[in-house]
Amino acid sequence: MILPKALKPGARLAIVSPASAAKVELVEAGMARLRGMGYEPVLMPHALARGPLYYAGPVSERVADLHTAFADTSIDGIVCTRGGWGSAELLPYLDAELIKANPKVFVGYSDHTSLHIWMRKFAGLVTFHGPMVAADFSRADGADVASWNAAICGGGAWSVGTAEGLRVLKPGVAEGVFDGGCLSIFVESLGTPYTPEASNGILFLEDIGTKPYQWDRQLLHLRYAGQLDRVKGIVLGDMTQCVPAEEQDLLERAILHALWDFAGPVGIGLRSGHVGAGNLTLPLGVESRLDLSAEARLDFFGAVS
């Protein structure tokens, strides 16, 4: 895997919208927050485009913004405005050689799981499941700065655990490459040319508005597709955006039912992706260690060069 360069103070961050159109006021608020953190956000030409339908402009413009951001040597990192739907449309038109030749920090979640999968599979690039401009940085408590700095600005080992919401659903210890993203987008990629390489490490899955039976169904789909055959451990996200508090127990029982024959440890509650506040930045494609034997802990061993 190719490690992007760490972001330094004053880094220039390209702001892109590969999927749905973002609200101008939220993008502006998010960019202001990034400036307050010492970065120079650079709004790409079509980042605020709208249409057709709910997209941030046509495919050609969204692809052009991504390619320009990677090719521009003055740009240090790329952050998406929001998710929604649309990133998968870009996949046939992305230039793997261009991206491999210009590796940079790329941050997003939700619909951008399709881009994370593509960048790992075809460009071998470590990417980041983390806060977006309009969705998270626009809110005072939307992004977890500590994990952002550890993942993207540092270079050594670091960890998340109980303080970040992680707790034990099934105990155990596992090691391997950390990968994953939004459950529904991950499942929808199966059977396409963009199916992810089956994980042989720690698989992270999260989503929004996904009911217990839907988690059960989609985890079964992953099992039948062979995606869990070599997985050593599973980390699930914060479920408060999926079901209300009174359904949390049912959701956890549905998950354990779907994973009845999974031998490795299973954690739940990690606050990354679709969360109410404090969105964590998690590196995808790096070595990790999941320890659910006592106090829940997830270690990462460097994600940037």
Side-chain angles (χ1 to χ4, degrees):
M1 296 295 292
I2 302 172
L3 300 182
K5 291 183 179 180
L7 294 185
K8 298 178 180 179
R12 302 182 81 233
L13 302 179
I15 310 303
V16 298
S17 297
S20 293
K23 293 182 179 179
V24 175
E25 62 273 20
L26 295 182
V27 174
E28 291 176 345
M31 291 174 63
R33 174 77 186 284
L34 288 170
R35 290 190 193 97
M37 293 170 63
Y39 298 112
E40 181 185 345
V42 179
L43 193 66
M44 298 307 288
H46 308 105
L48 296 180
R50 306 191 71 85
L53 298 175
Y54 24 73
Y55 300 116
V59 170
S60 59
E61 293 181 354
R62 287 179 277 147
V63 169
D65 275 3
L66 268 182
H67 282 168
T68 300
F70 273 104
D72 188 341
T73 56
S74 74
I75 295 295
D76 303 296
I78 303 167
V79 186
C80 299
T81 59
R82 59 159 297 186
W85 168 247
S87 290
E89 287 193 318
L90 279 55
L91 304 184
Y93 309 102
L94 295 178
D95 188 335
E97 295 306 315
L98 170 68
I99 293 171
K100 284 192 286 187
N102 300 276
K104 297 175 182 181
V105 164
F106 175 82
V107 189
Y109 65 95
S110 190
D111 185 62
H112 305 311
T113 291
S114 60
L115 294 177
H116 290 304
I117 292 170
W118 185 95
M119 289 184 191
R120 180 178 177 185
K121 183 171 183 175
F122 296 101
L125 181 63
V126 167
T127 57
F128 300 86
H129 187 276
M132 297 187 286
V133 178
D136 305 283
F137 283 112
S138 63
R139 297 179 288 127
D141 62 350
D144 181 81
V145 177
S147 63
W148 171 278
N149 289 335
I152 292 177
C153 305
W158 58 285
S159 64
V160 293
T162 54
E164 290 76 30
L166 184 62
R167 52 190 175 83
V168 179
L169 200 56
K170 182 182 177 183
V173 178
E175 297 182 356
V177 174
F178 188 84
D179 197 16
C182 181
L183 173 66
S184 56
I185 302 300
F186 203 84
V187 169
E188 287 167 3
S189 72
L190 301 179
T192 74
Y194 313 106
T195 298
E197 303 291 345
S199 172
N200 62 354
I202 311 301
L203 181 61
F204 170 71
L205 298 169
E206 62 86 34
D207 216 320
I208 185 172
T210 308
K211 299 177 181 180
Y213 79 90
Q214 293 171 319
W215 272 94
D216 190 353
R217 181 182 68 203
Q218 293 182 90
L219 287 172
L220 183 66
H221 190 163
L222 291 179
R223 283 179 52 203
Y224 285 171
Q227 288 288 319
L228 303 185
D229 289 353
R230 296 187 296 149
V231 172
K232 306 292 194 305
I234 295 174
V235 175
L236 303 172
D238 174 19
M239 298 296 179
T240 57
Q241 301 298 306
C242 284
V243 296
E246 59 269 23
E247 292 186 32
Q248 290 289 323
D249 178 66
L250 175 61
L251 176 57
E252 292 181 15
R253 287 189 286 117
I255 288 169
L256 289 174
H257 173 81
L259 299 174
W260 67 270
D261 61 347
F262 179 70
V266 180
I268 195 170
L270 191 61
R271 199 179 61 244
S272 180
H274 298 95
V275 297
N279 196 353
L280 297 166
T281 303
L282 304 177
L284 303 175
V286 304
E287 291 293 329
S288 65
R289 184 175 190 271
L290 176 64
D291 188 342
L292 301 179
S293 59
E295 183 175 343
R297 179 186 173 102
L298 175 61
D299 297 313
F300 297 104
F301 301 105
V304 289
S305 61

